[in-house]
Amino acid sequence: MNQGSIGIRRWLKSFMLKRVHGMITCKEFEDFVLRYCDNELTDRQRSLFERHISICRECREYLVAYQRTMEVSRAVFLSSDDPVPDDVPEDLIKAILKAREE
Ligand SMILES: [Zn+2]
């Protein structure tokens, strides 16, 4: 699959999601993720969020990756003595450390 067809699929999905009443888009989903993980969504926002996950595989994977990233960054932030898991990409560690500096 080339980049172009991925772009079209993304566009089509966001187009379809916008047409469904009460459905959040992938962009809105990204905005919700942080608050979802912090338990700060209202009941209505949470149900929209969970409905989106149930139909959108990309966002489901995004959420899993996000939660994994948060776990890793907690380990990096809180305790530099704990070894970082081997399967964590070097780039991710660098990004977390960079974020900590800012
Ligand atoms: Zn999505």
Side-chain angles (χ1 to χ4, degrees):
M1 186 175 305
N2 63 37
Q3 287 297 319
S5 69
I6 291 171
I8 289 165
R9 274 199 318 142
R10 288 234 172 91
W11 178 86
L12 185 62
K13 190 166 66 185
S14 74
F15 176 77
M16 284 163 59
L17 286 170
K18 273 182 206 145
R19 287 174 59 105
V20 179
H21 178 70
M23 193 64 79
I24 59 173
T25 63
C26 292
K27 180 76 195 75
E28 289 168 317
F29 179 91
E30 286 176 26
D31 296 337
F32 276 20
V33 167
L34 187 67
R35 285 184 287 153
Y36 177 82
C37 292
D38 288 342
N39 265 323
E40 286 176 359
L41 292 180
T42 64
D43 288 347
R44 177 171 155 69
Q45 287 172 325
R46 176 178 287 269
S47 78
L48 286 172
F49 184 91
E50 284 169 353
R51 192 147 40 126
H52 188 95
I53 289 177
S54 72
I55 61 157
C56 181
R57 192 170 62 91
E58 272 175 43
C59 285
R60 209 158 46 226
E61 288 170 358
Y62 178 80
L63 178 63
V64 170
Y66 180 84
Q67 287 174 327
R68 177 94 177 107
T69 303
M70 286 301 104
E71 276 171 32
V72 172
S73 56
R74 257 196 295 275
V76 173
F77 275 87
L78 294 179
S79 164
S80 51
D81 296 334
D82 283 352
V84 176
D86 287 341
D87 62 334
V88 176
E90 183 73 24
D91 290 354
L92 177 57
I93 306 290
K94 283 188 187 139
I96 293 167
L97 290 173
K98 188 167 182 297
R100 183 163 65 170
E101 284 163 15
E102 280 164 5

